[in-house]
Amino acid sequence: MRLVSKPGAALTALGLSLTLAGAAFAAPQPGTGYGLPIDASIEGHRIDWLIGVTNVLTGILFLIMFGWIVYASFFHGRKHEAKYDHGTSKRSVSIALAMAGSVFLIVDGNLFYNSTTDLETTFHNFEKVEKDPSTIRIEINAHQWAWDARYAGPDGKFNTQDDIVTLNDIRIPVDTPVIFEVASTDVLHAFNLPNLRAKVDAVPGMINRFWVSAKIPGEYDIGCAQHCGTNHYKMKGQLTILSKEEYARWAAQASAVSGRLWDDKDEGAHWGWEWKGK
Ligand code: CUA
């Protein structure tokens, strides 16, 4: 017995599915609407490529399977009586395995190869970034419900008088590697820079890290991507990407201000740690 008797219903369903698929593939909007947020980073295209390829491959598979079901349900069935089959014959099992195997190899193989290559050459290649003399190091201390940031300052050491210390305000220059080391003093948070396609968990008792390189100056969101309590939704900050000159000017000024506010006895303010590095 067929559940729906009219091919018209199938065509409507197909049309609806194509409309939804079209919406999913809509071009990214600047900051709002559907699609991914603006990618302001140099390496973020690798993440977007993986997301795009996953969408295209699963979209193709969806259309094949959906088309097949529509054909079998509404067209093939008109001429052929339905026959019950356990699907345990050698032939059925071989066909099923061959199809599942090829989907696995093409889709997962492709994603696995490209993502591990990206990790190895780029995202986990801290060695190269640590060696770069222009690299900026920032420590992030997450707590309910804000982001403390600490830059080493001109002396390159943390917890010294020339550190730049900010709250929910992180500024970085373009075309410069920036390494973040991220800790949490209370619960799980996740330091999320959607416009740089980077995110890492802030875990009590651990220091996690990632590095980015910015491309497009502007003001972007810093978000928390782990539910961390009643004010999780308020746990945001601003990431400002500046030109190299603007950044140098800001850093010199901020370092001088932090130096004036430095208080030897205020131990709570000296939350930074020795850079973990490699
Ligand atoms: Cu911190 Cu959510």
Side-chain angles (χ1 to χ4, degrees):
M1 190 179 77
R2 276 174 271 152
L3 288 176
V4 184
S5 54
K6 292 202 177 88
L11 291 175
T12 309
L14 180 64
L16 187 65
S17 308
L18 288 176
T19 310
L20 287 174
F25 280 99
Q29 297 295 305
T32 56
Y34 297 106
L36 297 166
I38 282 180
D39 172 23
S41 70
I42 291 175
E43 302 293 353
H45 66 93
R46 297 170 188 274
I47 305 284
D48 291 358
W49 186 89
L50 285 168
I51 294 173
V53 161
T54 306
N55 280 341
V56 168
L57 290 176
T58 50
I60 291 170
L61 285 172
F62 169 79
L63 287 177
I64 292 173
M65 288 180 227
F66 188 78
W68 194 334
I69 290 171
V70 167
Y71 171 73
S73 304
F74 300 105
F75 301 102
H76 188 71
R78 290 188 164 178
K79 292 174 204 149
H80 302 81
E81 275 294 301
K83 263 191 242 152
Y84 187 71
D85 181 6
H86 284 285
T88 48
S89 71
K90 247 191 192 157
R91 186 168 169 273
S92 301
V93 172
S94 313
I95 291 173
L97 279 180
M99 288 199 302
S102 53
V103 168
F104 180 76
L105 279 179
I106 294 169
V107 179
D108 298 81
N110 180 25
L111 294 177
F112 180 78
Y113 174 77
N114 285 290
S115 52
T116 47
T117 308
D118 284 347
L119 285 176
E120 211 166 297
T121 62
T122 310
F123 299 119
H124 285 176
N125 193 352
F126 288 96
E127 219 165 289
K128 181 178 145 207
V129 187
E130 288 281 4
K131 262 190 235 149
D132 188 332
S134 66
T135 292
I136 291 168
R137 295 172 174 80
I138 305 177
E139 294 183 350
I140 302 291
N141 185 32
H143 55 89
Q144 289 171 318
W145 288 274
W147 306 101
D148 288 325
R150 179 180 292 274
Y151 301 59
D155 70 356
K157 287 198 189 102
F158 287 89
N159 273 335
T160 55
Q161 201 162 350
D162 69 350
D163 284 6
I164 300 167
V165 182
T166 64
L167 178 69
N168 294 329
D169 173 14
I170 294 170
R171 304 182 193 200
I172 60 171
V174 290
D175 295 323
T176 310
V178 181
I179 309 180
F180 290 95
E181 288 195 348
V182 181
S184 167
T185 52
D186 39 42
V187 299
L188 281 178
H189 304 271
F191 184 61
N192 186 18
L193 304 177
N195 297 95
L196 299 183
R197 302 294 190 264
K199 170 162 66 181
V200 77
D201 278 349
V203 183
M206 278 178 83
I207 289 171
N208 292 330
R209 60 179 180 164
F210 68 82
W211 75 270
V212 289
S213 215
K215 183 173 66 175
I216 308 172
E219 288 169 358
Y220 304 95
D221 283 333
I222 299 170
C224 178
Q226 284 287 353
H227 188 258
C228 54
T230 44
N231 287 327
H232 158 71
Y233 73 100
K234 280 190 192 167
M235 192 168 166
K236 53 180 191 172
Q238 187 172 289
L239 171 76
T240 310
I241 301 176
L242 301 165
S243 70
K244 287 186 182 182
E245 299 74 34
E246 281 172 322
Y247 173 79
R249 215 175 307 138
W250 171 80
Q253 214 166 38
S255 170
V257 170
S258 296
R260 281 202 292 278
L261 296 174
W262 175 266
D263 179 357
D264 254 335
K265 289 173 206 118
D266 185 3
E267 284 177 21
H270 306 162
W271 52 265
W273 52 89
E274 211 172 295
W275 190 252
K276 297 286 166 196
K278 176 76 187 122

